[in-house]
């Protein structure tokens, strides 16, 4: 067709500039209308599917915002330059994400939306439809935040993203402080188990620094940008710099570094895994502090004021955190993760002891015991665990030299 007509293909449409005959031009335009109509139908079908899609693991806030921004750009075009008055924080965030897509045509945004939806469906999977009590098919929309175990050391590839539920929410209603941090533990452990060969292969396929895995992550125990998210943000920023250095060496700096890029990347590989283990450690520290604060508030103000009864705090926050900490010591976990789990054994003992008190003497007594033990062991959380994290970083740097020499020798 292009031998007899001049055309330009854009995502979502074929633009015919001119043809050798009016008849051929009419034929080209008919084909163009058919292609555009087909892609519009595909976009509408994808939007309808995403409304009922139930992911197997919870979708991160960043990915949710990406879908929202592409959909708005595809439907409404460029976002307004100025914020309308009286916008809430969430509305202002949505508008800021929409503005990032400025310049995309609606056809390009529709194609990008379809591609992003397909990526997220592959990444997060699709949960099986629950069967209704009467035997009919059940369904619904929304995302689940169930934490899946690592299963084995088959997790040699870094997951695309960490799961997240809306900040401050819990499956049973009300507000708990850090449910999504605990839900992310299995994926972070799987990422820390990534082998050196898989790490080098992933960096090679990633290409540029802006496509890095760490850049896609966000704090899990507090709202991004809030003061409570500062420790996690510091770890994520440090890890992003390490990953950016690894990617720059293999792309923009490839000719200026005397060593092969894989040697430097092998040196940084242990640091990448250790930073993942430190992130896991931070999640447990934040969970521990958040549980103590929530127990105090509920005891003093009542469950109606906090929306979190004492029994639910033990069952949905302290209990899952204790089980997640125990899972860190399983044989299939990476060495850095197993060492982190070993350091958290006092926390596991505290959770189990307080749950036993809550079962025998009531949740009020269990909550008081939890707060008392947390105050008495402040030195462990504020001194010992930070020292352990620093020791892990020093060990990772020393091991990095060994892996760099192994890569240089071609072993």
């Amino acid at each position: 067709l292009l031998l007899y007509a001049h055309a330009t293909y854009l995502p979502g449409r074929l633009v015919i500039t001119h043809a050798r005959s009016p008849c051929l031009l009419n034929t080209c335009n008919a084909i163009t209308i058919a292609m555009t109509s087909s892609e519009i139908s595909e976009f509408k079908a994808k939007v309808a599917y995403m409304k009922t899609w139930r992911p197997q693991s919870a979708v991160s806030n960043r990915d949710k915002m990406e879908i929202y921004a592409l959909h708005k750009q595809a439907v409404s075009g460029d976002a307004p330059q100025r914020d309308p008055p009286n916008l809430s924080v969430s509305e202002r965030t949505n508008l800021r994400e929409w503005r990032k897509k400025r310049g995309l045509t609606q056809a390009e945004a529709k194609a990008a939306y379809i591609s992003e939806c397909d990526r997220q469906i592959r990444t997060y999977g699709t949960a099986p439809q629950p069967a209704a009590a009467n035997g009919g098919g059940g369904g619904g929309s929304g995302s689940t935040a169930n934490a899946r175990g690592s299963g084995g050391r088959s997790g040699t590839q870094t997951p695309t993203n960490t799961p997240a539920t809306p900040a401050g929410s819990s499956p049973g209603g009300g507000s708990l402080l850090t449910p999504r941090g605990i839900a992310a533990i299995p994926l972070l452990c799987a990422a820390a188990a990534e082998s050196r060969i898989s790490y080098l292969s992933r960096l090679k396929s990633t290409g540029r620094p802006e496509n890095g895995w760490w850049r896609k992550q966000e704090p899990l125990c507090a709202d991004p940008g809030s003061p409570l998210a500062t420790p996690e943000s510091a770890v994520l920023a440090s890890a992003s710099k390490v990953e950016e250095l690894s990617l720059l060496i293999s792309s923009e700096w490839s000719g200026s570094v005397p060593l092969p890029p894989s040697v430097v990347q092998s040196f940084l590989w242990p640091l990448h895994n250790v930073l993942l283990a430190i992130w896991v450690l931070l999640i447990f520290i934040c969970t521990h502090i958040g549980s103590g604060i929530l127990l105090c508030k509920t005891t003093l103000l009542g469950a109606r004021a906090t929306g979190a009864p004492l029994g639910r705090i033990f069952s949905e926050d302290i209990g899952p955190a204790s089980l997640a900490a125990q899972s860190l010591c399983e044989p299939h976990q990476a060495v850095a993760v197993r060492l982190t789990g070993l350091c958290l054994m006092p926390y596991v003992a505290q959770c189990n002891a307080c749950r036993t008190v809550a079962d025998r003497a009531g949740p009020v007594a269990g909550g008081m015991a939890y707060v008392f033990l947390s105050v008495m062991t402040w030195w462990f959380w504020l001194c010992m665990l930070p020292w352990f994290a620093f020791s892990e970083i020093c060990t990772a740097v020393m091991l990095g030299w060994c892996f760099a020499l192994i890569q240089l020798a071609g072993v």
Side-chain angles (χ1 to χ4, degrees):
L1 178 63
L2 298 182
L3 293 176
Y4 298 95
H6 293 278
T8 303
Y9 178 75
L10 299 176
R13 60 195 179 108
L14 185 69
V15 179
I16 308 297
T17 53
H18 64 275
R20 293 190 178 183
S21 69
C23 181
L24 182 57
L25 181 59
N26 292 335
T27 303
C28 293
N29 288 334
I31 295 175
T32 301
I33 293 171
M35 291 176 61
T36 304
S37 176
S38 173
E39 294 186 358
I40 290 175
S41 300
E42 184 181 3
F43 172 74
K44 290 182 178 179
K46 188 65 68 173
V47 170
Y49 177 79
M50 294 302 288
K51 289 181 180 179
T52 59
W53 174 52
R54 293 170 54 86
Q56 193 169 8
S57 59
V59 182
S60 70
N61 292 336
R62 188 183 297 273
D63 282 350
K64 290 178 183 177
M65 295 306 300
E66 181 71 11
I67 287 289
Y68 168 81
L70 287 172
H71 182 268
K72 287 292 291 183
Q73 186 71 17
V75 173
S76 306
D78 290 341
Q81 289 283 6
R82 295 184 179 181
D83 292 352
N86 303 323
L87 283 181
S88 65
V89 176
S90 60
E91 290 172 337
R92 191 174 293 108
T93 302
N94 291 342
L95 190 57
R96 184 172 62 249
E97 293 298 323
W98 182 13
R99 285 199 186 104
K100 292 180 181 179
K101 306 303 177 185
R102 176 174 292 274
L104 284 178
T105 66
Q106 290 180 270
E108 291 170 338
K110 288 175 182 176
Y113 175 86
I114 294 171
S115 177
E116 178 63 20
C117 289
D118 291 338
R119 184 194 70 80
Q120 292 193 23
I121 292 171
R122 290 194 305 269
T123 300
Y124 298 105
T126 301
Q129 294 291 338
N134 60 0
S141 60
S143 60
T144 58
N146 52 324
R148 294 174 295 165
S150 302
R153 200 177 173 84
S154 59
T156 56
Q157 300 249 344
T158 298
T160 306
N161 214 330
T162 50
T165 57
S169 66
S170 68
S175 59
L176 296 182
L177 187 63
T178 55
R180 60 175 177 164
I182 297 302
I185 295 298
L187 285 181
L188 294 179
C189 291
E194 184 181 33
S195 66
R196 182 171 61 91
I197 302 301
S198 298
Y199 176 73
L200 297 178
S201 176
R202 178 171 62 83
L203 290 180
K204 186 176 181 180
S205 62
T206 299
R208 301 188 59 81
E210 53 267 22
N211 299 327
W213 182 82
W214 279 103
R215 283 200 176 189
K216 300 176 182 178
Q217 309 312 313
E218 60 185 11
L220 297 174
C221 294
D223 293 330
S226 65
L228 294 176
T230 300
E232 278 189 281
S233 299
V235 172
L236 295 178
S238 302
S240 296
K241 290 298 181 183
V242 171
E243 186 177 52
E244 181 179 359
L245 177 61
S246 299
L247 294 172
L248 285 174
I249 288 173
S250 61
S251 57
E252 298 179 12
W253 299 350
S254 57
S256 58
V257 179
L259 294 173
S262 59
V263 174
V264 182
Q265 292 169 349
S266 296
F267 171 77
L268 296 174
W269 170 65
L271 189 58
H272 161 78
N273 289 343
V274 162
L275 287 172
L276 279 166
I278 292 175
W279 192 8
V280 170
L281 185 64
L282 267 178
I283 288 174
F284 281 103
I285 294 175
C286 293
T287 301
H288 172 68
I289 296 174
S291 299
I293 293 174
L294 197 55
L295 285 170
C296 289
K297 290 174 63 177
T298 302
T299 303
L300 296 175
L301 303 177
R304 183 171 298 180
T306 60
L310 291 175
R312 232 184 74 216
I313 297 175
F314 277 101
S315 63
E316 295 181 10
D317 205 0
I318 296 176
S322 174
L323 294 175
Q326 293 181 63
S327 71
L328 300 184
C329 294
E330 294 176 356
H332 65 268
Q333 302 286 15
V335 174
V337 174
R338 294 174 70 181
L339 290 174
T340 301
L342 187 63
C343 286
L344 289 172
M345 282 299 105
Y347 170 67
V348 174
Q350 175 182 340
C351 291
N352 293 339
C354 294
R355 291 178 67 190
T356 301
V357 173
D359 292 338
R360 295 181 178 180
V364 175
M368 293 176 63
Y370 189 92
V371 174
F372 174 76
L373 290 176
S374 300
V375 173
M376 295 299 294
T377 57
W378 64 269
W379 52 271
F380 173 75
W381 298 96
L382 300 182
C383 298
M384 294 299 296
L385 291 184
W387 175 84
F388 167 74
F390 177 75
S391 300
E392 274 198 318
I393 292 176
C394 295
T395 304
V397 173
M398 290 187 291
L399 289 176
W401 292 105
C402 300
F403 288 109
L405 291 175
I406 291 173
Q407 182 66 28
L408 186 61
V411 178

